[in-house]
Amino acid sequence: MLRLPSFTYHQPRSLAEALRMKADAGPDGMYVAGGTDLYPNMKRRHQEPRVVISLMGIPELQATEGRNDGTGMTTVGTGLTLTQLSVLPSFRRSYEAVAHAAALVSTPLLRNMGTLGGNLCLDTRCNYYNQSYEWRKAIDFCMKKDGAICWVAPSSPRCWAVSSSDIAPVMVAIGGEYRLVGPGGERVVPAGRFYHNDGINYLTKQPDEILVDVRLPAADGWDAVYHKLRRRGSFDFPVLGVAAWIQWNGKTVADARIVLGGVASWPQEVPEAGAALKDAVLSDAAIERAAEAAYRPSKPLDNTDFELSWRKQMTRVYVTRALEELRARRATA
Ligand SMILES: Cc1cc2nc3c(=O)[nH]c(=O)nc-3n(C[C@H](O)[C@H](O)[C@H](O)COP(=O)(O)OP(=O)(O)OC[C@H]3O[C@@H](n4cnc5c(N)ncnc54)[C@H](O)[C@@H]3O)c2cc1C
Ligand code: SF4
């Protein structure tokens, strides 16, 4: 059985207190929310904080009610569990793709503990990394932790571990914004700029910044869906996620975004796929063009489940299914 190393656990009651504790701990400190990603990682010695600072007692992160701050945006605290997020009436009504992606994460037990914030900051994953310390030691580790080489692409100077969050692609697709609070004050970043395409430095967030809440654009003439491919439908991480967003103008697509999860170190927007739909009626031909455009840059590597060329083929299939669902919903709206 893998054991947690010993560490000091703090439970701050305010953002200011949490930031102070993190400043005191320095690089030895890490934030934790539900712990469903961090604690398994600590057991495998991927992350080795000596001080763990819980964010779950901070009221701002627990805000469930969207507040209209004049922009029409809905705000939701990042401390909400995935279960809470999947059943919030306002979300099921206006942000169904977010609620659906949350409901597709793992198992009920993990959704009861795991939070929105932890999901959006989830560590990247790889077959050569998500292993015990002894397993990784047997292959002399890899550059993401303790080693020098990338076993997926040995001549590569970078790590290709994949973004495996189910909700992050949806946030990028619908144009969500994240509010971060750090020692220097607060800032709001578009979801698309929160992620780096790098398996090691996968977030643009500073280690001491706290993701406090997420702002979602007013549900105004747009629709979005999320489709997920995984081995076991009741449990697994995505090996492919497709988030599709359309701004409608009557029956015409005024604007569109297609974002892929599980194929790169960040939620990968494919602008060519969105452009293939713009100003078009969502016909079979338009859907085929967009699916083809998403298929081309989708380059899964040999670092997650399934055969990689099959995963690439599935991009075309899943984008088609997502757009067909959006078309069917529009027809009955
Ligand atoms: C068996 C198993 C299956 C899983 N399947 C899936 C899956 O299918 N899809 C999926 O998306 N995930 C999956 N997960 C991962 C995880 O359970 C979820 O992503 C969950 O939402 C993580 O949230 P958490 O609160 O537990 O994160 P934590 O473990 O608490 O934190 C994760 C990371 O985020 C940081 N963090 C957390 N909250 C904040 C914040 N507010 N501000 C700044 N940093 C923060 C932490 O420091 C840590 O680095 C799975 C995990 C397991 C163990
Ligand atoms: S992609 Fe390469 S460096 Fe990154 S975790 Fe996998 S083997 Fe390690």
Side-chain angles (χ1 to χ4, degrees), residues 169 172-173 192 240-245 255-261 263-264 266-278 289-300 312 315-316 319 323:
V172 176
L240 169 68
V242 172
W245 169 91
D255 203 358
R257 278 192 288 270
I258 305 287
V259 181
L260 307 177
V263 295
W266 62 352
Q268 182 178 356
E269 183 178 351
V270 189
E272 301 84 352
L277 298 170
K278 207 162 176 220
R289 277 198 307 276
E292 192 57 35
Y295 164 82
R296 263 182 261 121
S298 164
K299 293 202 174 83
K312 183 170 168 68
T315 309
R316 203 190 265 130
V319 170
L323 292 173

Side-chain angles (χ1 to χ4, degrees), residues 85-108:
L85 199 61
S86 62
V87 298
L88 268 185
S90 57
F91 268 61
R92 289 175 74 98
R93 204 169 42 247
S94 306
Y95 303 106
E96 201 189 323
V98 180
H100 181 59
L104 289 178
V105 172
S106 189
T107 62

Side-chain angles (χ1 to χ4, degrees), residues 124-130 139 141-145 149-153 158-162 199-200 265 301 303:
T124 52
R125 296 179 61 81
C126 172
N127 288 342
Y128 296 91
Y129 171 71
N130 293 98
I139 60 161
F141 303 103
C142 77
M143 71 167 78
K144 185 158 160 67
K145 183 75 183 8
I149 194 171
C150 171
W151 293 108
V152 169
R158 59 159 284 197
C159 162
W160 296 87
V162 289
I200 296 173
S265 300
L301 290 168
N303 51 7

Side-chain angles (χ1 to χ4, degrees), residues 177-190:
E177 294 179 353
Y178 300 172
R179 183 164 70 101
L180 300 163
V181 173
E186 78 168 56
R187 63 190 179 108
V188 175
V189 292

Side-chain angles (χ1 to χ4, degrees), residues 106-120:
S106 189
T107 62
L109 287 179
L110 285 155
R111 290 196 295 274
N112 288 344
M113 287 301 294
T115 65
L116 172 61
N119 192 270
L120 299 178

